[in-house]
Amino acid sequence: MLNIRKLSANAEGFKAELEALLAWETVSNDSVNEIVKDVLKNVRERGDEALLEYTAKFDRLTLAKGSDLEIPKSELEAALKRIPQDQREGLELSAQRVKAYHEKQVMKSWSYTEDDGTFLGQQVTCLDRVGLYVPGGKAAYPSSVIMNAIPAKVAGVPELIMVVPTPDGEVNDMVLAAAAICGVDRVFTLGGAQAVAALAYGTETVPPVDKVVGPGNIFVATAKREVYGTVGIDMIAGPSEILVYCDGKTNPDWIAMDLFSQAEHDEDAQSILVTQDAEFAEKVYLSMNKLVKTLPREEIITKAITDRGAIIVVDNEDQAIEMINYIAPEHLELSVDEPKALLPKIKHAGAIFMGRYTAEALGDYCAGPNHVLPTSRTARFSSPLGVYDFQKRSSLIMCSAEGANMLGQVAGVLADGEGLQAHAASARYRVKD
Amino acid sequence: MLNIRKLSANAEGFKAELEALLAWETVSNDSVNEIVKDVLKNVRERGDEALLEYTAKFDRLTLAKGSDLEIPKSELEAALKRIPQDQREGLELSAQRVKAYHEKQVMKSWSYTEDDGTFLGQQVTCLDRVGLYVPGGKAAYPSSVIMNAIPAKVAGVPELIMVVPTPDGEVNDMVLAAAAICGVDRVFTLGGAQAVAALAYGTETVPPVDKVVGPGNIFVATAKREVYGTVGIDMIAGPSEILVYCDGKTNPDWIAMDLFSQAEHDEDAQSILVTQDAEFAEKVYLSMNKLVKTLPREEIITKAITDRGAIIVVDNEDQAIEMINYIAPEHLELSVDEPKALLPKIKHAGAIFMGRYTAEALGDYCAGPNHVLPTSRTARFSSPLGVYDFQKRSSLIMCSAEGANMLGQVAGVLADGEGLQAHAASARYRVKD
């Protein structure tokens, strides 16, 4: 039988147990840090030459010259033609729905003019060039290409550069097909810290970008942390998590499988069921035991459920909501009759899946919203990846002579108060005599 | 005579010289890192007791118990009554204008329903509790209280906690008055890494927050970097910079003083003049030499101008614009006749000050937009502090039975393609038989 924690929200010591369950500290690894720093330095100083060496070493792929690193667009189109029809249609539908959703996010410039003629506003622009990291090998996810590339393109980013390692020369057709569908501009066969270095600093072949996004292993994550400041980065995600809140009226098999769809990601993933129905909790547990055996990733699921899973029984809905807001889950399923009624009470969650039909997996692939979401309680202060991450704002200020006269006097007083006399003088030059 | 670099954009080696001039790498300091880690650990484990020890040691302020760390609201109101009338009016006008501007930034929730009944949207919420760090002593800036507190309050943050050290018990009345005006909820006399630790982890007296914002010295910046992930943080700013682009028709004294208003911040600050008028460049240089002697911060200004300042002569407006977009300045002054005509060409800048009357200093205090801006070329990918930093988004997905039927099939195909069978099964449970 699966060994999942069964907790009661009213039990003594529950809060401490919950805290321990949720605790996740990214372990920084000194030897990884050393290696990554070395790779970054090398690529920064030696450019393509270093890239070719690392690619030969880590991906066992020997290329003659820098330009061989580029996968031509014709290859992407060929991959798109090669994949099965249903996969192609699936990717296309996904891209189309993700685009439609993200188009609602586009920020627009605005401005207003005050009575004295002073003009204030905010100019919204997009990033010039963005780099998208896509993992290679087994964990190659075309859905991740769609979720990162589409918001950048909707924001208007003119140049989107993708890097994806092809270990032993092995190419993932679905990933290349997704790149073709999303309008990725250039693709390089690069992975690991060397790919992040190439994007951040640029080489003879790879142009430097302004922001690097996309998931990766610990070397990639460490490299992104290191180059942050030189370029922007997206969040560095922790393990994936789901909190399913169910009133006890959904098919327990469905709920069990929803919990497993997180647990199968990796052994650190977290799946939590919250319900006020203790009998239902037991039914889900039985379903889990029955279903786990049917899944190819049984081993990963079993470890994730044992180490980090939980079934929590609460007294009532209010207690469930309190728990949700405390946990601030990356994925929240509200498997209840009237999920919309709960929304005003839910303060912290990455994405909210409402009703019995809305499996979290639908959001991973094709519902429309992004699947890159804040993990490890960071939904308390951060948001899903979106068009916002590929746009930026510049403040606009244009004072009329009248406006500058008034504001100059005030700024002069406040600058004097802060002991900044050049500020005061600069402001007062604009005050009428 | 001031020793400022005079460069011509067409000179051989200009690009390399410009790059060297702009280069800014935050030096990470091992001994600071050690001290900060120790402080964080101590406060996390020992709470108030550690806070009282550090406050006695670093601020030479001995307090009997944790609750003595709190500065009561009555003290803030008393400070507001104590400061001179013109300062009070200045702070009030500033707060009011900053509020009016930031109210335009508030993000609203939205949603839409598709033909098959599937509901998609985005729910916008604010952070629950925010911590605002305010430096104490000489560099105590009430304007910084306004610029950080007002966007949080406009976003709707219910609890805004301010920390400000009071070295030797010395309180800055303008800072406390600004806190009163902005509606800061609680204030603690705490500074340094220990203040950041208290905000991030909470103690018996200080409640834990969800995000820490505000400027600070290297100990504060290092502590913020360390606690990032546990809480959100705002950007970690580099030295302040200004790029003034002038067509040669503004009073050279005004331009010289505008350049100094950045240079006086600290010795690493950067002031750059770009103009196509070589004669005007020389006039500004003469003004700088004349005016620097009139300023109490002459020494700081001289060092900043010598080490990091530049006067760059360009051929024409297009070359100036190209330079602006490359430099992506924190503050950009367009001291020209038709600044609005240039806006569509300007892609990267923190704040744009347009026209001869718009001294950058007006934006620092009271124009309305925020003075917390991206430095060191990061305006290529980041934005001024705003209401956005205190709001967050949750994706909303509610599939109808029809919608889940269609999306479940697609998600099934894509999940199979990625080798995630629990995802596929979870999606397919919602497909009609």
Side-chain angles (χ1 to χ4, degrees):
Chain A
M1 296 294 278
L2 277 173
N3 187 14
I4 189 168
R5 268 171 213 77
K6 296 180 185 177
L7 307 174
S8 158
N10 292 322
E12 207 182 328
F14 169 74
K15 217 183 158 200
E17 199 155 2
L18 181 63
E19 254 182 59
L21 180 69
L22 299 176
W24 181 261
E25 305 236 2
T26 320
V27 185
S28 77
N29 182 318
D30 284 345
S31 77
V32 171
N33 285 346
E34 283 305 306
I35 295 169
V36 166
K37 277 190 187 169
D38 203 51
V39 171
L40 293 177
K41 184 164 173 287
N42 235 317
V43 173
R44 191 174 193 173
E45 286 171 2
R46 296 174 48 234
D48 281 354
E49 197 183 19
L51 291 184
L52 292 171
E53 283 172 19
Y54 287 124
T55 301
K57 184 174 169 191
F58 296 125
D59 296 335
R60 297 159 304 280
L61 180 67
T62 307
L63 300 170
K65 54 186 190 304
S67 59
D68 293 346
L69 290 165
E70 185 155 8
I71 301 178
K73 277 208 161 179
S74 55
E75 282 288 316
L76 313 186
E77 293 297 333
L80 184 57
K81 289 198 182 109
R82 258 193 319 261
I83 61 171
Q85 181 73 5
D86 62 344
Q87 286 188 1
R88 178 177 177 149
E89 284 172 8
L91 290 174
E92 282 170 346
L93 182 94
S94 167
Q96 184 192 317
R97 292 186 58 87
V98 171
K99 184 161 178 273
Y101 179 87
H102 285 77
E103 277 169 350
K104 311 262 180 201
Q105 295 186 326
V106 177
M107 289 192 292
K108 299 248 165 59
S109 301
W110 51 259
S111 63
Y112 58 100
T113 303
E114 298 183 312
D115 290 344
D116 65 9
T118 290
F119 167 91
L120 297 171
Q122 182 169 285
Q123 175 161 294
V124 176
T125 48
C126 65
L127 276 66
D128 278 343
R129 200 188 279 137
V130 166
L132 163 54
Y133 188 93
V134 178
K138 275 184 299 179
Y141 294 146
S143 60
S144 168
V145 175
I146 291 172
M147 293 296 178
N148 283 276
I150 297 278
K153 279 296 173 187
V154 169
V157 173
E159 208 176 347
L160 181 58
I161 313 280
M162 182 171 118
V163 291
V164 57
T166 54
D168 301 305
E170 195 189 322
V171 171
N172 182 311
D173 275 348
M174 271 182 93
V175 163
L176 295 191
I181 288 170
C182 296
V184 169
D185 296 283
R186 298 178 73 182
V187 180
F188 296 95
T189 165
L190 280 170
Q194 61 271 24
V196 176
L199 291 171
Y201 306 125
T203 69
E204 301 89 320
T205 300
V206 183
V209 303
D210 299 303
K211 186 166 188 165
V212 178
V213 299
N217 63 19
I218 187 166
F219 292 94
V220 173
T222 304
K224 278 169 68 179
R225 235 183 247 281
E226 279 293 318
V227 300
Y228 175 60
T230 301
V231 295
I233 60 169
D234 56 349
M235 64 195 91
I236 295 191
S240 194
E241 350 128 13
I242 191 169
L243 188 162
V244 178
Y245 169 52
C246 184
D247 56 11
K249 293 191 269 175
T250 308
N251 185 328
D253 283 356
W254 294 18
I255 299 297
M257 198 57 88
D258 295 352
L259 294 167
F260 285 168
S261 74
Q262 286 311 300
E264 77 173 339
H265 272 295
D266 68 86
E267 294 166 351
D268 295 321
Q270 184 154 61
S271 301
I272 297 176
L273 169 64
V274 173
T275 180
Q276 56 268 62
D277 184 336
E279 264 180 60
F280 177 73
E282 206 49 37
K283 283 184 197 158
V284 173
Y285 178 61
L286 294 175
S287 288
M288 290 170 82
N289 281 292
K290 174 185 72 184
L291 294 171
V292 71
K293 299 182 199 114
T294 69
L295 293 166
R297 292 180 172 241
E298 177 180 1
E299 215 170 306
I300 294 171
I301 293 172
T302 302
K303 183 143 172 56
I305 290 291
T306 308
D307 288 358
R308 304 201 71 221
I311 294 175
I312 303 175
V313 176
V314 292
D315 278 349
N316 51 47
E317 195 175 88
D318 282 351
Q319 205 174 33
I321 300 276
E322 196 186 323
M323 187 128 357
I324 288 165
N325 284 328
Y326 178 75
I327 294 176
E330 181 192 11
H331 303 98
L332 170 64
E333 258 186 45
L334 299 176
S335 208
V336 300
D337 274 337
E338 298 289 348
K340 280 188 187 170
L342 301 183
L343 282 186
K345 297 183 200 165
I346 292 177
K347 294 194 287 182
H348 313 301
I352 308 174
F353 302 82
M354 299 184 287
R356 309 187 201 283
Y357 283 102
T358 315
E360 184 276 323
L362 304 182
D364 283 343
Y365 291 107
C366 51
N370 212 286
H371 79 193
V372 182
L373 298 166
T375 59
S376 307
R377 301 193 66 219
T378 59
R380 290 176 295 126
F381 53 82
S382 47
S383 300
L385 189 75
V387 174
Y388 314 92
D389 295 284
F390 303 100
Q391 292 187 308
K392 60 214 168 54
R393 305 166 263 116
S394 301
S395 308
L396 303 178
I397 312 173
M398 180 163 170
C399 294
S400 64
E402 288 302 320
N405 180 52
M406 185 269 287
L407 294 173
Q409 295 177 49
V410 174
V413 168
L414 296 177
D416 280 341
E418 294 187 351
L420 295 173
Q421 288 83 1
H423 283 70
S426 162
R428 286 190 180 123
Y429 276 142
R430 275 77 173 187
V431 174
K432 290 177 195 169
D433 296 323
Chain B
M1 295 294 278
L2 276 174
N3 186 16
I4 190 168
R5 268 172 212 76
K6 296 179 186 179
L7 308 174
S8 158
N10 293 323
E12 207 183 326
F14 170 73
K15 214 178 161 206
E17 198 154 3
L18 181 64
E19 253 182 60
L21 181 69
L22 298 176
W24 181 261
E25 305 234 4
T26 320
V27 184
S28 77
N29 182 319
D30 284 345
S31 78
V32 171
N33 286 345
E34 283 304 305
I35 294 168
V36 166
K37 277 190 186 168
D38 204 51
V39 171
L40 293 177
K41 183 165 176 284
N42 234 317
V43 172
R44 192 174 192 172
E45 288 172 1
R46 296 175 48 234
D48 282 354
E49 197 183 18
L51 291 184
L52 292 171
E53 283 172 20
Y54 287 123
T55 302
K57 184 174 168 190
F58 295 123
D59 297 334
R60 298 160 303 280
L61 180 68
T62 306
L63 300 170
K65 54 186 190 303
S67 60
D68 293 346
L69 289 165
E70 185 154 9
I71 301 179
K73 277 208 162 179
S74 56
E75 282 289 315
L76 313 186
E77 292 299 333
L80 184 57
K81 289 201 180 106
R82 257 193 319 262
I83 61 172
Q85 181 72 6
D86 63 345
Q87 287 188 0
R88 177 178 179 148
E89 284 171 8
L91 291 174
E92 283 170 347
L93 182 94
S94 167
Q96 184 190 317
R97 293 185 58 88
V98 171
K99 184 161 178 272
Y101 179 87
H102 285 77
E103 277 169 351
K104 312 262 179 200
Q105 295 186 326
V106 177
M107 290 190 293
K108 299 248 164 59
S109 301
W110 51 260
S111 63
Y112 58 100
T113 304
E114 299 182 310
D115 289 345
D116 65 10
T118 291
F119 167 91
L120 297 170
Q122 181 169 286
Q123 173 159 295
V124 177
T125 49
C126 65
L127 276 66
D128 278 342
R129 201 187 279 138
V130 166
L132 163 55
Y133 188 93
V134 179
K138 275 184 299 178
Y141 295 146
S143 59
S144 168
V145 175
I146 291 172
M147 294 295 178
N148 283 277
I150 298 277
K153 278 297 172 186
V154 169
V157 173
E159 207 175 347
L160 180 58
I161 313 280
M162 181 171 119
V163 291
V164 58
T166 53
D168 301 305
E170 197 191 320
V171 171
N172 182 311
D173 275 347
M174 271 182 92
V175 163
L176 296 190
I181 288 169
C182 296
V184 169
D185 296 283
R186 297 178 74 183
V187 180
F188 295 95
T189 165
L190 281 170
Q194 62 272 22
V196 176
L199 291 171
Y201 306 125
T203 69
E204 301 89 321
T205 299
V206 182
V209 302
D210 298 303
K211 185 166 189 165
V212 178
V213 299
N217 63 19
I218 187 167
F219 292 94
V220 173
T222 304
K224 280 169 68 180
R225 236 183 246 280
E226 279 293 319
V227 299
Y228 175 61
T230 302
V231 295
I233 60 169
D234 57 350
M235 62 194 91
I236 296 191
S240 195
E241 353 126 12
I242 191 169
L243 188 161
V244 179
Y245 170 52
C246 185
D247 56 12
K249 294 192 267 175
T250 307
N251 184 328
D253 283 357
W254 293 19
I255 299 298
M257 198 58 88
D258 295 352
L259 294 168
F260 286 168
S261 74
Q262 286 311 299
E264 77 173 339
H265 272 296
D266 68 86
E267 294 167 352
D268 295 320
Q270 184 155 61
S271 301
I272 296 175
L273 170 64
V274 173
T275 180
Q276 56 267 62
D277 184 336
E279 266 180 58
F280 177 74
E282 207 47 38
K283 282 184 197 159
V284 173
Y285 178 60
L286 293 175
S287 287
M288 288 169 83
N289 281 291
K290 174 185 73 184
L291 294 171
V292 71
K293 298 181 199 117
T294 69
L295 292 166
R297 292 180 171 240
E298 177 179 1
E299 214 169 306
I300 294 171
I301 293 171
T302 302
K303 183 143 174 52
I305 291 291
T306 309
D307 288 357
R308 304 202 70 221
I311 294 175
I312 303 175
V313 176
V314 291
D315 277 351
N316 50 47
E317 195 175 89
D318 282 351
Q319 205 174 33
I321 300 275
E322 196 187 322
M323 186 127 1
I324 288 166
N325 284 329
Y326 178 75
I327 294 175
E330 181 192 12
H331 303 98
L332 171 64
E333 260 187 45
L334 300 176
S335 207
V336 299
D337 274 336
E338 299 289 347
K340 279 188 188 170
L342 301 183
L343 282 186
K345 297 183 200 166
I346 293 179
K347 293 194 285 181
H348 313 302
I352 307 175
F353 302 82
M354 299 184 286
R356 309 187 201 284
Y357 283 103
T358 315
E360 183 276 323
L362 304 182
D364 283 344
Y365 291 109
C366 51
N370 213 285
H371 78 193
V372 181
L373 298 167
T375 58
S376 308
R377 302 193 64 219
T378 59
R380 290 177 296 127
F381 53 81
S382 48
S383 302
L385 189 76
V387 173
Y388 314 91
D389 296 284
F390 304 101
Q391 292 187 308
K392 59 211 169 56
R393 304 167 264 115
S394 301
S395 308
L396 304 178
I397 312 175
M398 181 162 170
C399 294
S400 64
E402 289 302 320
N405 179 52
M406 185 268 287
L407 294 173
Q409 296 177 47
V410 174
V413 169
L414 296 177
D416 279 341
E418 294 186 352
L420 295 174
Q421 289 82 1
H423 283 70
S426 161
R428 286 189 180 123
Y429 275 142
R430 276 77 174 187
V431 174
K432 291 177 194 168
D433 296 322

